[in-house]
Amino acid sequence: MGAVRRTKTKRRTRYASRVSLLPASQICLVWGGFFLGYVKLTKIFSRDYDQVRADVENPKHLSQYKATKDPEDLPGLGRHYCVECAKWFESDYNLVAHRKGKNHKRRLRLLKEEPHSQKIAEAAVGLGTDNGVRSQGVDEMAMDN
């Protein structure tokens, strides 16, 4: 089907191809003005933050993921891989250039943050348990009032 070619007009962008884009995970197939359906784009899917965090913390998790990929189908025969971004590169030069870039540094910053969990969400709302020791002064003031 090919890539989408855009031609700019004065007020809007018109898609000149038979494929028009939807959200990043889907495309809408249109042929001659007729709707044919949606196709999920799995090629642009990258690993989620929790999966990448598990790869960084545990080499066994990473090796299991790499074992599912066929090296002949990967760029550079699967030798150049950025663990933090979950991307394969054609050469070592491209991998080094990627590690110096803005997208890699942004991904590192996001991975340094503590991952969200149900316990943190409940604590933010006030549903968490507080196992702290209460001071005697607070209890006495509550009973006096």
Side-chain angles (χ1 to χ4, degrees), residues 3 7 34 40-41 44 49 54 66 68 70 75 80 82-84 88 97 100-101 103-104 108-109 117 126 131 143:
T7 58
F34 295 103
K40 184 168 178 78
L41 294 177
I44 61 172
Y49 293 118
K66 285 185 175 181
T68 62
D70 194 19
H80 312 287
C82 177
V83 178
E84 293 85 5
W88 305 91
K100 293 178 183 177
N103 291 335
H104 180 77
L108 286 177
R109 189 188 74 235
S117 66
N131 293 331
M143 285 198 264

Coordinates of all heavy atoms in Angstrom, one line a residue, residues 3 7 34 40-41 44 49 54 66 68 70 75 80 82-84 88 97 100-101 103-104 108-109 117 126 131 143:
A3 N 3.5 4.4 1.6 CA 3.4 5.4 2.6 C 2.3 6.4 2.2 O 1.9 6.5 1.1 CB 4.7 6.1 2.8
T7 N -0.5 16.2 0.6 CA -0.4 17.4 -0.2 C -1.1 18.5 0.6 O -2.2 18.4 1.1 CB -1.2 17.2 -1.6 OG1 -2.5 16.9 -1.3 CG2 -0.5 16.2 -2.4
F34 N -14.4 3.7 0.0 CA -15.2 2.7 0.8 C -14.3 2.2 2.0 O -13.1 1.9 1.9 CB -15.5 1.5 0.0 CG -16.5 1.8 -1.1 CD1 -16.1 1.9 -2.4 CD2 -17.9 2.0 -0.8 CE1 -17.0 2.2 -3.4 CE2 -18.8 2.3 -1.8 CZ -18.4 2.4 -3.1
K40 N -4.3 -3.2 13.0 CA -3.5 -2.8 14.1 C -2.0 -2.9 13.7 O -1.6 -3.8 13.1 CB -3.7 -3.8 15.2 CG -2.9 -3.4 16.5 CD -3.4 -4.2 17.7 CE -2.6 -3.9 18.9 NZ -3.0 -2.6 19.5
L41 N -1.3 -1.8 14.0 CA 0.1 -1.7 13.6 C 0.9 -2.3 14.8 O 1.1 -1.7 15.8 CB 0.5 -0.3 13.4 CG -0.1 0.4 12.2 CD1 0.3 1.8 12.1 CD2 0.3 -0.3 10.9
I44 N 5.2 -0.9 15.1 CA 5.7 0.3 15.8 C 5.5 0.1 17.3 O 5.9 1.0 18.1 CB 4.9 1.6 15.4 CG1 3.4 1.5 15.7 CG2 5.2 1.9 13.9 CD1 2.7 2.7 15.4
Y49 N 7.3 0.3 29.9 CA 8.3 0.6 30.9 C 8.5 -0.5 31.9 O 9.6 -0.7 32.3 CB 7.9 1.9 31.6 CG 7.8 3.1 30.7 CD1 6.7 3.8 30.5 CD2 9.0 3.5 30.1 CE1 6.7 4.9 29.6 CE2 9.0 4.6 29.2 CZ 7.9 5.3 29.0 OH 7.9 6.4 28.2
A54 N 12.2 -4.6 34.0 CA 12.5 -6.0 34.3 C 13.8 -6.4 33.5 O 14.6 -7.2 34.0 CB 11.3 -6.9 34.0
K66 N 15.1 -11.8 24.1 CA 16.0 -11.9 22.9 C 15.8 -13.3 22.2 O 16.0 -13.4 21.0 CB 17.4 -11.6 23.2 CG 17.7 -10.1 23.5 CD 19.2 -9.9 23.7 CE 19.5 -8.4 23.8 NZ 20.9 -8.2 24.0
T68 N 13.2 -14.9 21.7 CA 12.0 -15.0 20.9 C 12.2 -14.3 19.6 O 11.3 -14.5 18.7 CB 10.8 -14.2 21.6 OG1 11.1 -12.9 21.8 CG2 10.5 -14.9 23.0
D70 N 14.2 -13.7 16.0 CA 15.0 -14.4 15.0 C 16.1 -13.4 14.6 O 15.8 -12.3 14.1 CB 14.2 -14.9 13.8 CG 15.0 -15.9 13.0 OD1 16.0 -16.4 13.5 OD2 14.6 -16.1 11.8
P75 N 17.7 -5.8 12.6 CA 18.7 -5.0 12.1 C 20.1 -5.3 12.7 O 20.2 -5.5 13.9 CB 18.3 -3.5 12.5 CG 16.9 -3.6 12.8 CD 16.6 -5.0 13.3
H80 N 23.3 -5.2 17.9 CA 23.3 -3.9 18.5 C 21.9 -3.6 19.1 O 21.0 -3.3 18.3 CB 23.8 -2.8 17.5 CG 25.0 -3.3 16.8 ND1 26.2 -3.3 17.3 CD2 25.1 -3.7 15.5 CE1 27.1 -3.7 16.4 NE2 26.4 -4.0 15.3
C82 N 19.7 -1.5 22.3 CA 19.6 -0.6 23.4 C 18.6 -1.2 24.4 O 17.4 -1.2 24.0 CB 19.3 0.8 22.9 SG 19.1 2.0 24.3
V83 N 19.0 -1.6 25.6 CA 18.2 -2.2 26.5 C 17.1 -1.2 27.0 O 15.9 -1.6 27.2 CB 19.0 -2.8 27.7 CG1 18.1 -3.4 28.7 CG2 20.0 -3.8 27.2
E84 N 17.5 0.0 27.3 CA 16.6 1.0 28.0 C 15.5 1.4 27.0 O 14.4 1.6 27.4 CB 17.4 2.2 28.4 CG 18.4 1.9 29.5 CD 19.7 1.4 29.1 OE1 19.9 1.4 27.8 OE2 20.5 1.1 29.9
W88 N 16.6 -2.1 18.3 CA 17.7 -2.7 17.6 C 18.3 -1.7 16.6 O 17.6 -0.9 16.0 CB 17.2 -3.9 16.8 CG 16.5 -4.9 17.7 CD1 15.1 -4.9 17.9 CD2 17.0 -6.0 18.5 NE1 14.8 -6.0 18.8 CE2 16.0 -6.6 19.1 CE3 18.3 -6.4 18.6 CZ2 16.2 -7.7 19.9 CZ3 18.5 -7.5 19.5 CH2 17.4 -8.2 20.1
A97 N 25.4 6.8 18.7 CA 24.8 8.0 18.3 C 23.4 8.1 19.0 O 23.0 9.2 19.5 CB 24.6 8.2 16.8
K100 N 23.6 9.1 22.7 CA 23.9 10.5 23.0 C 22.7 11.4 22.8 O 22.7 12.5 23.1 CB 25.1 10.9 22.1 CG 26.4 10.3 22.4 CD 27.4 10.8 21.4 CE 28.8 10.1 21.6 NZ 29.8 10.5 20.6
G101 N 21.7 10.8 22.2 CA 20.5 11.6 21.8 C 19.5 11.9 22.9 O 19.5 11.4 24.0
N103 N 16.1 11.3 22.8 CA 15.1 10.3 23.1 C 15.6 9.3 24.1 O 14.9 8.8 25.0 CB 14.7 9.6 21.9 CG 13.9 10.6 21.0 OD1 13.3 11.5 21.5 ND2 13.9 10.3 19.7
H104 N 16.9 8.9 24.0 CA 17.5 7.9 24.9 C 17.6 8.5 26.3 O 17.3 7.9 27.3 CB 18.9 7.5 24.4 CG 19.5 6.5 25.3 ND1 19.2 5.2 25.3 CD2 20.5 6.6 26.2 CE1 19.9 4.5 26.2 NE2 20.8 5.4 26.8
L108 N 15.8 7.2 29.8 CA 16.5 7.0 31.0 C 15.9 7.7 32.2 O 15.8 7.1 33.3 CB 18.0 7.4 30.9 CG 18.9 6.5 30.0 CD1 20.3 7.1 29.9 CD2 18.9 5.1 30.6
R109 N 15.5 8.9 32.0 CA 14.9 9.7 33.1 C 13.6 9.1 33.5 O 13.3 9.0 34.7 CB 14.7 11.2 32.6 CG 14.2 12.1 33.7 CD 13.8 13.4 33.2 NE 12.5 13.3 32.6 CZ 12.2 13.7 31.3 NH1 13.2 14.3 30.6 NH2 11.0 13.6 30.8
S117 N 2.1 2.1 41.2 CA 1.6 0.9 41.7 C 0.2 1.2 42.4 O -0.1 2.3 42.6 CB 2.5 0.2 42.7 OG 2.6 1.0 43.8
G126 N -5.7 8.3 50.2 CA -5.8 8.2 51.7 C -6.4 6.9 52.2 O -6.8 6.7 53.3
N131 N 1.1 2.6 59.8 CA 1.6 1.8 60.9 C 2.5 2.6 61.8 O 3.2 2.0 62.6 CB 2.3 0.6 60.4 CG 1.3 -0.4 59.7 OD1 0.2 -0.4 60.0 ND2 1.9 -1.1 58.7
M143 N -9.1 13.4 73.6 CA -10.1 13.0 74.6 C -10.6 14.2 75.4 O -11.7 14.2 75.9 CB -9.4 12.0 75.6 CG -9.2 10.6 75.0 SD -8.9 9.4 76.2 CE -7.2 9.3 76.2

